Amino acid sequence: MDFNLTPEEQSFRQEVRDFLAAELPPPEERGAGFIVEFWKKIRAKRWIGFSWPEEVGGGGGSIMQQFILKEQLVEAQAPILGSDYTGLHWVGPAIIQFGTPEQKARYIPEILDSQSIWCTGYSEPDVGSDLASLQCRAIREGDTYVVNGQKIWTTLAHLAKSIFLMVRTDPESSKHDGITCLLVPMDTPGIEVQRVHNMGVGGHGDMLNQVFFNDVRVPAELRLGAEGQGWEIICSALQGERSGITDVNRHSNALEDLRGLAARSQRNGRPALEDASVRRKLGSFEARIEAMRLNGMRALTHQLRGNLHPSEASINKLHNCDLLVEMSDLALELQGGAASYYGKEDAVIEAGRWQLAALSWPATVIGGGTPNVQKNIIAERMLGLPKD
Ligand SMILES: Cc1cc2nc3c(=O)[nH]c(=O)nc-3n(C[C@H](O)[C@H](O)[C@H](O)COP(=O)(O)OP(=O)(O)OC[C@H]3O[C@@H](n4cnc5c(N)ncnc54)[C@H](O)[C@@H]3O)c2cc1C
C-alpha cells in the first residue's frame, strides 16, 4: 500500500478543496434551493458520475481521483451528489455495461442531471438474502413481457420514475440462470405502490414500499442485457470506488460527537469519563474506525491493481453495522432516563439525534445484505471455508 498522492493527485485534491471553499457554505447557511444549485455546479465539473466514461457524459475520472473527491466531500460535509442515489450507484453502471446505445442515450443523461429517480426491485416477501430464488414472473408475448408478482422493501418506489426490476423469465432453468432485468417506467398500467411504515421515523418517512405487478406489459426493448443475464447484472452492477471511505469519515465525525456527549455526561453524580468501561468503549470505537480505514485503503489498493476481492467490501459493511449499533447504544446509555425522550423540547439531548440513530440502524444493517450474509461471503469466498 502506498498512501502518498502523486503530484497530479495532490493538485486534483487542491482543486476540489478550492471549489468546496468557494461554493459550499457551512451547513447552517444552506438555504432552500441550495442543493439544486450545488448539483448544477458539481455536474458542470463532471464530478457527478465522475468515474463514468466521458462518451456517456461522465467525468472519465480514475478510481484514485474518485476516492479523493469522496474524501473531500465528506470532510466538507457536502450533500450527496445528485438526486438519484440508485441511478448513480448501480442502475447507471449496469446500463453503461449492459445497455443498448438507445438505453444509454435515454437514461444516462437524466441520471447525471438529477432528473431521474430509480428504485430497485429485487426483494420479495419470501426472498431477500437468497435473492436468486426470486419469483416475480415475466412471460414473453411477442414484443412484450407480461409481469405478475410482488416486490417489497422497495426504497423510494413511491417517488421513482422507473424500477430496475429483476424477474424470472425461465422457471425451468437453474435459479441463477432464469432471471432477467427489465427497466420499467413506474407509470406503466398494472403497477401499484403501497407504503410500508418505518420504525426509525415512526411513519412512512418517504422511504420503503411494496410494489405489486398485475399483468404489467413491458416492451422487450426495455430488457437490460440478454434474457437470463439478470444474475450477472446483479453481481456486476457495482463499480467505482469501493473503499467505504465515506462510512469511515462519517463514523469519525460521530465519534467526535460521542466523545463530546461523554464529556458532558454524569454517572452516579461523577463524570462519565471517569468510568473505565466508557473510556474502553470509546477507545475500541477509535481502534475499529482506524481498522476500517486501513481495510478501505487495502481494498482501494487492490482495486487500483485490478484485483479487488468482492469480499473486502463485506468486511467494511460488517464494521460499519457494528459501529452504528454500538455507538448509538453507548450514546443512549450515557443519557440515562433522557434516552427515552425524543423531539424538540429542551430536555431532549441533541434534539434526539442518538435516539434516531438507535432506531434507524436496522435500515443500514439489513439493507443491501444482512451481517450474516456478509459473514457467509467472507467465510466462503475469502477464507475458503466449506458451505455447511
Ligand atoms: C432500509 C431498507 C431498504 C431496502 N431497500 C431495498 C430496495 O430498494 N430494493 C430491494 O429489492 N430490497 C431492499 N431491501 C431489502 C433487503 O435487501 C433485504 O431485507 C435483505 O437482503 C434481507 O432479506 P430479508 O428481509 O428477506 O431477510 P431474510 O433473508 O429472510 O433474512 C432473515 C434473517 O435470516 C438471516 N439469514 C438469511 N439467510 C442466511 C444464511 N444463509 N445464513 C445465515 N443467516 C441467514 C438473515 O441474516 C436475517 O437475520 C431493503 C431493506 C431495508 C431494511
Side-chain angles (χ1 to χ4, degrees):
M1 284 189 275
D2 177 6
F3 297 159
N4 295 318
L5 300 183
T6 64
E8 293 74 32
E9 288 161 356
Q10 285 178 26
S11 122
F12 176 66
R13 184 174 63 184
Q14 195 54 48
E15 183 188 345
V16 178
R17 283 183 176 160
D18 291 345
F19 172 86
L20 292 173
E23 303 294 350
L24 187 68
E28 61 281 5
E29 289 173 23
R30 297 174 195 168
F34 152 76
I35 197 158
V36 172
E37 283 312 305
F38 182 70
W39 285 338
K40 276 189 197 151
K41 288 175 188 163
I42 284 263
R43 172 75 188 112
K45 304 280 293 175
R46 293 212 167 203
W47 288 347
I48 296 184
F50 185 43
S51 65
W52 293 6
E54 285 174 281
E55 58 271 22
V56 298
S62 68
I63 295 290
M64 195 61 201
Q65 284 176 317
Q66 203 194 356
F67 169 83
I68 294 167
L69 175 65
K70 269 194 195 177
E71 197 183 30
Q72 295 306 311
L73 288 165
V74 176
E75 207 170 288
Q77 297 183 45
I80 58 160
L81 292 189
S83 68
D84 190 358
Y85 183 90
T86 303
L88 284 165
H89 285 82
W90 53 94
V91 176
I95 293 174
I96 291 169
Q97 189 176 349
F98 297 96
T100 61
E102 293 73 29
Q103 288 168 343
K104 289 179 198 172
R106 173 169 174 183
Y107 296 115
I108 298 298
E110 57 179 30
I111 293 175
L112 291 171
D113 292 337
S114 297
Q115 297 299 312
S116 59
I117 300 180
W118 282 87
C119 63
T120 309
Y122 290 179
S123 306
E124 298 176 6
D126 294 320
V127 177
S129 303
D130 182 17
L131 186 56
S133 299
L134 63 88
Q135 295 299 320
C136 185
R137 187 80 166 92
I139 296 175
R140 179 93 186 233
E141 285 181 7
D143 286 343
T144 306
Y145 287 97
V146 182
V147 181
N148 280 287
Q150 184 191 344
K151 296 289 171 181
I152 194 165
W153 317 125
T154 324
T155 306
L156 296 182
H158 61 299
L159 300 175
K161 276 170 73 176
S162 317
I163 182 165
F164 189 66
L165 182 66
M166 292 294 164
V167 289
R168 185 156 301 281
T169 38
D170 182 0
E172 304 304 323
S173 65
S174 81
K175 65 180 185 179
H176 291 90
D177 292 338
I179 300 171
T180 298
C181 179
L182 300 175
L183 308 172
V184 185
M186 286 298 283
D187 58 3
T188 311
I191 297 183
E192 186 196 340
V193 178
Q194 282 180 12
R195 294 177 179 220
V196 173
H197 281 199
N198 175 341
M199 97 176 167
V201 289
H204 180 252
D206 251 357
M207 194 163 166
L208 295 177
N209 306 275
Q210 47 187 340
V211 186
F212 298 88
F213 299 85
N214 284 310
D215 287 331
V216 175
R217 301 186 75 82
V218 182
E221 70 202 33
L222 296 185
R223 186 188 68 221
L224 183 66
E227 210 167 89
Q229 210 178 5
W231 190 251
E232 187 186 339
I233 294 174
I234 290 174
C235 295
S236 66
L238 279 173
Q239 64 167 29
E241 190 272 308
R242 306 272 304 273
S243 67
I245 195 70
T246 327
D247 295 326
V248 174
N249 290 347
R250 220 174 271 130
H251 286 308
S252 292
N253 293 343
L255 181 58
E256 265 321 293
D257 296 348
L258 191 54
R259 280 209 191 90
L261 178 66
R264 292 190 301 277
S265 301
Q266 299 272 316
R267 214 164 234 212
N268 297 325
R270 314 267 320 150
L273 279 177
E274 283 183 10
D275 186 325
S277 79
V278 173
R279 293 201 307 274
R280 221 176 3 253
K281 282 183 188 169
L282 290 170
S284 137
F285 295 148
E286 177 149 12
R288 284 150 65 192
I289 293 170
E290 182 58 12
M292 197 174 164
R293 192 180 71 80
L294 291 174
N295 187 54
M297 298 304 266
R298 182 175 62 176
L300 180 68
T301 307
H302 286 164
Q303 199 174 357
L304 289 170
R305 293 182 185 154
N307 59 357
L308 176 69
H309 197 289
S311 323
E312 282 177 311
S314 293
I315 298 178
N316 265 0
K317 165 117 203 224
L318 273 183
H319 275 304
N320 187 28
C321 294
D322 286 350
L323 283 164
L324 272 177
V325 174
E326 292 176 36
M327 284 169 67
S328 55
D329 251 16
L330 176 61
L332 295 194
E333 191 186 316
L334 287 165
Q335 295 183 24
S340 57
Y341 290 130
Y342 178 72
K344 301 234 176 283
E345 295 85 34
D346 287 347
V348 178
I349 294 173
E350 295 178 39
R353 67 168 273 201
W354 297 106
Q355 283 81 337
L356 187 61
L359 287 171
S360 304
W361 63 247
T364 308
V365 170
I366 298 167
T370 68
N372 287 342
V373 168
Q374 308 305 326
K375 285 178 193 161
N376 283 348
I377 292 173
I378 295 166
E380 288 163 18
R381 298 194 212 156
M382 201 166 208
L383 303 177
L385 297 176
K387 278 187 179 216
D388 97 79

